[in-house]
């Protein structure tokens, strides 16, 4: 039974990964995109590259390679990714995600 569960997990992870790759942003791409519930977006950051993620609407789950924590961003929340590694964002409900190399105007000092 454990063997069957492990196999199903591998199938699930493979499907999850394929979905992430289909929404991976090209290097340097920024802007706002719409994610439907369950949809994924991913990006690999190079060392020294920084990226700002802002949830403009809905709710997003964010995980970043090398960070033991996961994050949930609600509408209006912003987070900064500032080290290399792979990031995966999943919409917990339909959401709008802003991806930028600069913080949103409201976060600038």
């Amino acid at each position: 039974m454990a063997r069957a569960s492990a196999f199903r997990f591998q199938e699930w992870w493979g499907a999850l990964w394929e979905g992430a790759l289909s929404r991976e942003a090209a290097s340097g791409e920024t802007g706002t995109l719409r994610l439907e519930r369950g949809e994924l977006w991913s990006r690999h950051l190079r060392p020294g590259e920084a990226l700002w993620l802002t949830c403009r609407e809905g709710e997003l789950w964010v995980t970043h390679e090398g960070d033991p924590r996961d994050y949930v961003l609600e509408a209006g929340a912003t987070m900064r990714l500032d080290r290399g590694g792979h990031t995966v964002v999943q919409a917990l409900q339909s959401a709008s995600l802003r991806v930028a190399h600069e913080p949103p105007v409201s976060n600038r000092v």
Side-chain angles (χ1 to χ4, degrees), residues 38-53:
E39 197 170 7
L40 301 168
W41 173 87
S42 72
R43 171 82 188 271
H44 186 83
L45 273 67
R46 296 178 309 268
E49 181 181 12
L51 202 62
W52 294 84
L53 303 178

Side-chain angles (χ1 to χ4, degrees), residues 73-93:
L73 299 181
E74 296 177 339
T78 296
M79 75 178 290
R80 181 175 187 249
L81 302 170
D82 59 1
R83 66 169 179 236
H86 200 84
T87 298
V88 177
V89 177
Q90 182 175 28
L92 298 176
Q93 56 183 265

Side-chain angles (χ1 to χ4, degrees), residues 50-61:
L51 202 62
W52 294 84
L53 303 178
T54 301
C55 180
R56 298 183 130 190
E57 173 187 332
E59 193 172 48
L60 301 165
W61 167 78

Side-chain angles (χ1 to χ4, degrees), residues 1-41:
M1 184 110 171
R3 197 167 182 70
S5 295
F7 181 72
R8 276 188 238 128
F9 176 77
Q10 289 172 345
E11 287 178 350
W12 173 84
W13 184 250
L16 185 69
W17 185 247
E18 286 299 316
L21 292 178
S22 69
R23 291 299 301 243
E24 186 161 2
S27 180
E29 184 178 335
T30 61
T32 301
L33 60 130
R34 182 87 185 149
L35 296 174
E36 296 304 321
R37 183 178 181 191
E39 197 170 7
L40 301 168
W41 173 87

